[in-house]
């Protein structure tokens, strides 16, 4: 029987000819990732395992992003633990303030993950790198510890859902809308334990940043990983960012899928997830009148350069609504700098937005834009659970950077087409 | 390997915040965690639970964050096994990794009620409802998972592996 792309990557790294859905394997890891919150816990477990040295100093990656630059004493102490560990162990890919960015934007940008790699991260959005044709998934801190100690970890081989994409997205509709649409359709456990394989003619129309955003939210549908085939755009991206050798895996023609879902990209509209689950989606023409207090453009889903460009294109020459605090957070130092070079930062500041150094910050209700009781935010982030961005009585709506920028101007959730009279 | 105890029953999508609220994550004391387990959805649980008791829930148990505190709180509270229609995937990993046995069984989740006395044979996956005199069949643990559980979790498993 044929294997999916994901199954082939797993088989190769487990040293097996073939694997089947449901089978348990132990396989080699190319990257083991942790952040400022999960790494200290993993270090404790690592020590309990009796481990002394990490398996490969180039393959363990530690990124400070959640509460960094340290927001309080507790986060500073947490960072200190990981910082000492990284120095002691000689971790080459350790990213502290000044180098760091949001982990899932940073790793591809630094060329640390390429096609065919296996990645485990002690962070649920580690599934992002599937955009590059890699297998990557989130785990717990004990997983990270085992990965650091042995370079191996157990996995249950997933079955898959195939998303057959055709057509081309309309102006202002992006990868974020594609994944929100999918989660709205299949639900927050619609892909539980499964691979979400995105294939079809429509793939070539999606930019790398679109693909990152789509894979990023696979976990919001319960998925184990999201994955795209490797095409010219992927190769071009990897050439630009990495010197690592990559391997292209292709799904067999007779691979089995639990389900095949056809999506014509040209029919999709801007999509918004209403509180308090990502599956509560509505297309932009059905959102009604939702006044908002805050807009956040950033995060591991939508803090990349294309997201910044779209936001700037809409905000240019406009002022944000006086009642909307608008916070824009480029996801990495490189993106931050590019925003300055391209004049985007100036557009943001002239529009009345606050622009911040890279951080997860408000995405998880950490700092830099916490909501008070009864407040509503529209964010380009990926989760809108109760209390995710602050007070349990606040609300988060999820959308694309285009909708976020338009809404910042309108003071309520708005269609970017509306700002432009419908035809830009 | 077996478990037997009285059942606490819950519904769909029990998330990690319901299992252990984020406000209790700043304690390194696991006993303390256990004393707040399920608090926001069930104020009785932490006081009533006895060593060996079993949690039965519907679909997507443990959804939400990747925090390992959730299965730890359940285990330290004394729960010997969680049975559900399905588990959120990171919870599924974390549970085995910290040594909490979990089983998926639709029929058991539908038929078992709160307060039933239930026993589980991990080797065969057979679940016996002593109160109702019924049995249900779950997938038994694969060998690999048996090894992790008998090493009391991934830490023990890796420790053995490293010392070889
Ligand atoms: S941006 Fe948000 S979702 Fe992404 S890693 Fe940071 S906290 Fe997690």
């Amino acid at each position: 029987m044929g294997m999916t792309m994901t199954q082939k990557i797993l088989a190769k790294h487990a040293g097996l000819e073939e694997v089947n859905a449901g089978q348990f394997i132990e396989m080699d890891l190319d990257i083991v990732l942790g952040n400022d919150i999960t790494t200290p816990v993993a270090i404790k477990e690592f020590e309990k395992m009796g481990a002394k040295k990490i398996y490969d100093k180039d393959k363990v990656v530690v990124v400070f992003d959640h509460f960094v630059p340290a927001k309080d004493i507790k986060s500073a102490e947490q960072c200190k633990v990981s910082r000492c560990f990284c120095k002691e162990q000689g971790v080459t890919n350790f990213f502290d303030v000044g180098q760091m960015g949001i982990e899932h934007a940073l790793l591809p940008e630094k060329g640390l993950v390429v096609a065919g790699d296996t990645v485990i991260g002690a962070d649920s959005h580690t599934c992002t790198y599937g955009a590059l044709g890699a297998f990557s998934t989130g785990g717990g801190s004990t997983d990270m510890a085992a990965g650091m100690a042995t370079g191996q970890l157990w996995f249950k081989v997933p079955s898959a859902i195939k998303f057959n994409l055709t057509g081309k997205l309309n102006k202002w509709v992006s990868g974020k809308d594609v994944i929100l649409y999918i989660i709205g359709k299949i639900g927050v456990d619609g892909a539980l334990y499964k691979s979400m394989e995105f294939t079809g003619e429509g793939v070539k129309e999606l930019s790398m940043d679109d693909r990152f955003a789509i894979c990023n939210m696979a976990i919001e549908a319960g998925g184990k990983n999201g994955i795209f085939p490797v095409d010219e755009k992927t190769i071009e991206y990897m050439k630009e960012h990495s010197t690592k050798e990559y391997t292209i895996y292709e799904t067999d023609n007779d691979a089995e899928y639990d389900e095949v879902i056809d999506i014509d990209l040209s029919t999709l509209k801007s999509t918004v997830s209403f509180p308090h689950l990502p599956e509560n989606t509505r297309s932009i023409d059905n959102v009604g009148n939702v006044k908002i207090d805050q807009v956040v453009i950033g995060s591991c889903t939508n803090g990349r350069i294309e997201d910044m460009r779209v936001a700037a294109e809409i905000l240019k020459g406009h002022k944000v609504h006086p009642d909307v605090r608008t916070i824009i957070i480029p996801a990495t130092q490189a993106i931050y700098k590019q925003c300055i070079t391209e004049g985007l930062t100036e557009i943001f500041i002239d529009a009345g937005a606050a622009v911040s150094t890279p951080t997860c910050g408000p995405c998880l209700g950490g700092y830099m834009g916490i909501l008070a009781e009864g407040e509503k935010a529209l964010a380009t982030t990926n989760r809108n659970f109760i209390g995710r961005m602050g007070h349990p009585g606040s609300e988060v709506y999820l959308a694309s950077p285009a909708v976020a920028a338009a809404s910042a101007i309108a003071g309520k959730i708005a269609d970017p087409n509306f700002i432009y009279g419908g035809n830009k | 390997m077996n478990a037997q105890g009285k059942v606490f029953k819950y519904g769909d999508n029990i998330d990690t915040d319901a299992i252990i609220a984020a406000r209790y994550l700043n304690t390194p004391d696991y006993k303390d965690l256990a004393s707040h387990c399920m608090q926001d959805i069930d104020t009785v649980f932490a006081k009533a639970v006895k060593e060996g008791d079993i949690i039965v829930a519907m679909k997507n148990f443990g959804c939400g964050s990747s925090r390992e505190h959730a299965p730890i709180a359940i285990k330290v509270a004394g729960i010997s096994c969680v049975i559900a229609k399905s588990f959120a995937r990171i919870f599924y990993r974390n549970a085995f990794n910290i040594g909490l046995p979990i089983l998926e069984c639709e029929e058991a989740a539908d038929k078992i009620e709160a307060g039933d006395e239930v026993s589980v044979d991990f080797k065969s996956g057979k679940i016996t409802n002593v109160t109702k005199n019924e049995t249900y069949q779950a997938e038994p643990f694969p060998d690999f998972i048996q090894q992790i559980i008998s090493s009391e979790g991934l830490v023990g498993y890796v420790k053995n592996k490293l010392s070889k």
Side-chain angles (χ1 to χ4, degrees), chain A residues 66 102-104 123 125 299-300 360 363-364 382 388:
Chain A
H66 280 64
I102 299 175
E103 52 198 305
H104 310 307
D123 188 278
H125 293 99
S299 86
C300 59
C360 295
C363 172
L364 77 160
N382 48 40
R388 175 73 180 179

Side-chain angles (χ1 to χ4, degrees), chain A residues 24 26 141-143 154 193, chain B residues 68 87 93 97 104 142 157:
Chain A
F24 284 80
E26 277 189 285
S141 289
T142 305
D143 284 319
W154 68 274
Y193 307 138
Chain B
E68 288 180 3
F87 293 89
R93 292 193 71 82
N97 282 349
E104 287 180 333
Y157 177 81

Side-chain angles (χ1 to χ4, degrees), chain A residues 21 32 47 101 108 112 114 153 164 187 199 239 258 306 322 337 359 397 401 410-411:
Chain A
V32 177
E47 284 162 359
L112 295 171
V114 292
L153 198 61
N164 185 31
T199 61
K239 278 199 180 135
D258 292 346
E306 264 181 25
K337 189 173 160 193
T359 181
Y397 296 74

Side-chain angles (χ1 to χ4, degrees), chain B residues 11-36:
Chain B
D12 286 339
N13 299 317
I14 300 299
D15 63 71
T16 48
D17 271 298
I19 296 168
I20 183 74
R23 61 185 178 278
Y24 300 119
L25 299 183
N26 52 4
T27 168
D29 182 355
Y30 289 162
K31 281 262 164 336
D32 219 39
L33 277 182
S35 72
H36 297 294

Side-chain angles (χ1 to χ4, degrees), chain A residues 164-226:
Chain A
N164 185 31
L165 311 179
T166 55
K168 193 174 172 232
L169 293 173
N170 290 311
K171 177 79 181 164
W172 306 129
V173 182
S174 67
K176 180 62 164 288
D177 300 294
V178 176
I179 191 65
L180 290 181
Y181 168 81
I182 288 173
I183 296 165
K185 195 176 162 76
I186 67 173
V188 291
D189 64 347
L192 199 60
Y193 307 138
K194 298 178 183 183
S195 292
M196 299 171 77
E197 280 205 17
F198 303 96
T199 61
E201 275 298 293
V203 167
K204 66 176 189 311
E205 304 293 344
L206 297 170
S207 69
M208 286 313 293
D209 286 3
D210 282 328
R211 299 180 199 183
F212 284 124
I214 291 172
C215 287
N216 175 269
M217 289 190 73
I219 181 73
E220 260 59 64
K224 178 165 207 141
N225 68 322

Side-chain angles (χ1 to χ4, degrees), chain A residues 224-272:
Chain A
K224 178 165 207 141
N225 68 322
I227 198 161
F228 274 88
V230 176
D231 65 5
E232 277 157 32
K233 278 190 188 163
T234 330
I235 292 171
E236 198 185 313
Y237 183 94
M238 290 190 291
K239 278 199 180 135
E240 192 185 326
H241 293 272
S242 188
T243 51
K244 258 179 89 170
E245 228 176 280
Y246 60 83
T247 315
I248 298 175
Y249 292 85
E250 279 170 1
T251 294
D252 289 329
N253 289 331
D254 57 343
E256 253 190 34
Y257 291 96
D258 292 346
E259 210 179 332
V260 178
I261 297 177
D262 293 313
I263 297 173
D264 178 354
L265 298 174
S266 69
T267 62
L268 299 188
K269 295 178 179 163
S270 294
T271 302
V272 180

